[in-house]
Amino acid sequence: MRPTSAALATAFALILSGCQAEAPAAPTAPESSPAPEAPAPAAAEPAASAHVGLMAHEPWSRPLAPGATVAAGYMHLMNHTAQPETLVGARAEGVGRIELHDMAEVDGVMQMRPIDGGVPLVVDGMAAFQPGGKHLMFIDVTRSWTEGDVVPVTLVFESGTEAVIDVAVTASKGESSGDEHAHH
Ligand SMILES: [Cu+2]
């Protein structure tokens, strides 16, 4: 029973790859279709969002300049599950490794540093990954990372849960884009 999470989840829904135990996609209560021989048609629809509530809202990253191999990723990560979770890592195809970074001011200069112990999320908690703060650091990027690309990234939590998010590569996020003036 999560009132608002469903709405938030829609556009940027996680494709949940978690549940390693492969909970046999429990016979997703076939509302009213008694068809006993239907070969699990649910596969195409991410009905998973119903039972796991680790969500990344608007994950994005700026396009890489030619020759660059390091990018930062941003999102609002929410834990609408019944237990605390801690984000401890991530991975993606075409990316050598992904680190969790934070920013700190040292002698008036902002520097980034790895986050020790991961990013904890209490129940219904949210962690903001945004320019100037926490971010995913994509290192040794070998895949395409240009405007319009969508990069599937697997988030790894301490509990063993994993969740795949689609990071949108776009230059326009975060900068004020004159045409979209009325948010928040
Ligand atoms: Cu960084």
Side-chain angles (χ1 to χ4, degrees), residues 59-131:
W60 69 283
S61 177
R62 292 194 183 91
L64 280 183
T69 59
V70 177
Y74 311 108
M75 65 184 164
H76 285 80
L77 186 61
M78 287 167 283
N79 177 16
H80 290 304
T81 71
Q83 62 180 28
E85 291 278 3
T86 299
L87 177 66
V88 292
R91 64 177 185 274
E93 220 168 286
V95 180
R97 70 179 192 279
I98 302 176
E99 296 182 354
L100 307 177
H101 282 185
D102 205 347
M103 303 286 287
E105 192 175 316
V106 179
D107 295 330
V109 180
M110 291 301 283
Q111 298 182 345
M112 63 183 182
R113 59 183 181 191
I115 296 173
D116 268 345
V119 178
L121 288 159
V122 298
V123 172
D124 283 333
M126 188 272 283
F129 291 70
Q130 55 197 6

Side-chain angles (χ1 to χ4, degrees), residues 64 68-71 91-98 138-145 151-153:
L64 280 183
T69 59
V70 177
R91 64 177 185 274
E93 220 168 286
V95 180
R97 70 179 192 279
I98 302 176
F138 301 101
I139 298 165
D140 292 336
V141 174
T142 54
R143 54 152 293 151
S144 166
W145 207 276
V151 183
V153 174

